[in-house]
Amino acid sequence: KERKFPFDLTMLNKITKNGVEPKSLNMIMGGTGVFKTGTMCHFTTAYLQQGLNVLYITLEMSEEKIAERIDANMLNTSLDDLANLPKDVYRKRVDKAQAKTIGKLIIKEYPTASASTTHFRMLLNELYLKKNFKPDIIMIDYINVCTSSRIKPSSSVNSYTYIKSIAEEVRGLAVEYNVAIWS
């Protein structure tokens, strides 16, 4: 029986037969501004509450913006209301979230189009050596703004071939580290 990382959404569990597996690359696709990052932050929150460790790599938004979105999910509030919560309400919600969250989260930001699986591999090794942190899930926001470690950006390949190369490298990373990766 293979290990699965289930969703907190019944329909997705039904569609995927109870979640995604380690050694897999999973994609969220959609147009601009349709909540892809929000979905990844929601999944991150659910995985943390299941006791899973999550590494969230962002190449598009700042670490602070990603943390704010995950906090809003954890505290069951909107981004707009997060900054305006009264201190006592905020404290109660934080205590409640901490009580039901056992997983660990690390968020790492890279500049757009500056990082490849080589950088991610170095990060994973550093996190393990310095913090004894091994993720179960890696979120990469997002794969189209990564660089390939095999093909130089200035080479004359088409965008399909370039992105395909990045996807293959990221899937290889999932296999190497026995994690599920979302992008």
Side-chain angles (χ1 to χ4, degrees), residues 28-155:
I28 298 170
M29 300 188 334
T32 304
V34 297
F35 210 65
K36 295 179 297 291
T37 297
T39 301
M40 288 179 55
C41 290
H42 173 86
F43 288 171
T44 297
T45 300
Y47 288 137
L48 291 170
Q49 290 172 342
Q50 291 175 39
L52 300 171
N53 294 332
V54 180
L55 172 61
Y56 197 113
I57 298 170
T58 176
L59 293 101
E60 185 178 40
M61 285 186 174
S62 70
E63 291 175 11
E64 295 78 15
K65 289 285 186 196
I66 297 299
E68 183 178 47
R69 287 174 178 228
I70 293 169
D71 287 349
N73 271 287
M74 286 277 186
L75 302 180
N76 196 27
T77 190
S78 70
L79 281 171
D80 294 335
D81 293 341
L82 185 62
N84 300 320
L85 282 176
K87 190 173 184 172
D88 59 323
V89 173
Y90 176 81
R91 189 73 245 156
K92 284 179 186 173
R93 288 190 184 182
V94 167
D95 291 343
K96 185 179 176 184
Q98 282 179 329
K100 65 179 182 179
T101 305
I102 357 175
K104 294 180 184 172
L105 170 66
I106 293 182
I107 303 170
K108 175 64 178 168
E109 177 184 359
Y110 290 97
T112 301
S114 69
S116 70
T117 53
T118 302
H119 298 91
F120 305 154
R121 200 172 275 111
M122 288 188 309
L123 174 63
L124 286 162
N125 291 335
E126 181 180 351
L127 289 173
Y128 183 73
L129 288 172
K130 291 183 177 177
K131 296 186 178 192
N132 200 29
F133 178 83
K134 182 185 178 310
D136 300 293
I137 309 283
I138 300 175
M139 302 292 198
I140 301 176
D141 196 358
Y142 64 97
I143 201 166
N144 281 23
V145 293
C146 293
T147 58
S148 171
S149 58
R150 297 181 298 179
I151 300 174
K152 294 193 183 312
S154 60
S155 63

